[in-house]
Amino acid sequence: MKQYSAPFERNREPIARVLGEILPSTGSVLEIGSGTGQHALWFASRFPELNWHPTDRAGALSSIQAWRDEADLDNLSAPVELDLLRGPWPVTRADAVVCINTIHIVAWAGVERLFAGASRILPPGGLLYVYGPYRYAHRPLESSNEDFDRWLKDRDPESGIRDFEAVDALARDVGLELEGDRAMPANNRSIWWRKLS
């Protein structure tokens, strides 16, 4: 049941360095789109004072659980279903929301629900962190990301690399303020917002 993602090996340390700067020292983190479950295990082990709550669509939960069983970490919760396109959120409060390599995969309606849901469950000062590729109005998209965007849209026309400005507008509309935007490996970005009062 345990699945493996090769990009995890490349991005786990750079993401962990950013999260180490911005996550609260204690509290709960809701991870949306946990995929194979490798990131959940890695970050739970790196940040033992944070309770990590992995989520994904139903088909991914067995792999996440298999990684959790292997790790046996007290601060890594059992995975629960969260589909950004349908159904309720299983968590009503979190101090931070982390979403890695999901926004370019899910349809735009799911991106809207991600930001609305994060705003709903975060307290004032709570964090929403996302990782992945983005387009920016003031510069051309990298050639590798142009190829990736075509591949995504061939696979699913509703997916694709999102415009940063459109995503940031969603955040502002639900009371989240941009706090950071950092270049990452393979033309990805770490971007995070804080919940206003």
Side-chain angles (χ1 to χ4, degrees):
M1 291 295 183
K2 190 168 66 175
Q3 302 297 309
Y4 179 80
S5 171
F8 162 76
E9 299 292 343
R10 180 181 67 234
N11 66 32
R12 64 181 184 176
E13 282 289 355
I15 293 175
R17 284 194 292 270
V18 176
L19 292 180
E21 296 175 22
I22 64 177
L23 287 175
S25 57
T26 61
S28 63
V29 179
L30 176 67
E31 183 184 11
I32 296 176
S34 297
T36 63
Q38 290 166 272
H39 280 123
L41 183 155
W42 179 255
F43 297 135
S45 64
R46 285 291 294 266
F47 306 112
E49 301 304 316
L50 290 169
N51 295 310
W52 205 270
H53 299 274
T55 70
D56 211 312
R57 293 181 296 178
L61 300 185
S62 59
S63 178
I64 302 168
Q65 184 62 50
W67 283 102
R68 178 178 181 259
D69 290 343
E70 182 178 283
D72 192 29
L73 295 170
D74 291 338
N75 66 321
L76 179 57
S77 298
V80 293
E81 183 177 359
L82 195 165
D83 187 332
L84 286 172
L85 295 175
R86 60 186 59 86
W89 282 37
V91 174
T92 58
R93 188 190 185 282
D95 297 293
V97 175
V98 169
C99 185
I100 298 169
N101 287 330
T102 298
I103 286 180
H104 55 277
I105 301 296
V106 72
W108 184 248
V111 182
E112 293 173 325
R113 291 195 68 193
L114 166 65
F115 280 82
S119 179
R120 186 172 61 249
I121 69 168
L122 289 171
L127 172 83
L128 170 60
Y129 168 90
V130 301
Y131 175 91
Y134 287 86
R135 293 181 183 274
Y136 291 81
H138 62 280
R139 64 173 182 262
L141 188 63
E142 302 86 357
S143 60
S144 63
N145 278 338
E146 288 281 10
D147 294 340
F148 184 43
D149 188 50
R150 281 192 291 272
W151 179 85
L152 287 167
K153 289 174 178 173
D154 285 345
R155 180 174 164 269
D156 178 0
E158 292 195 75
S159 68
I161 294 177
R162 306 301 180 188
D163 294 338
F164 164 77
E165 291 79 10
V167 174
D168 187 46
L170 282 182
R172 286 185 277 108
D173 286 346
V174 296
L176 300 171
E177 182 174 52
L178 182 67
E179 186 172 272
D181 182 356
R182 188 175 300 176
M184 300 292 280
N187 294 318
N188 288 298
R189 310 292 299 186
S190 280
I191 308 174
W192 61 98
W193 295 262
R194 292 280 178 188
K195 171 77 175 291
L196 299 173
S197 59

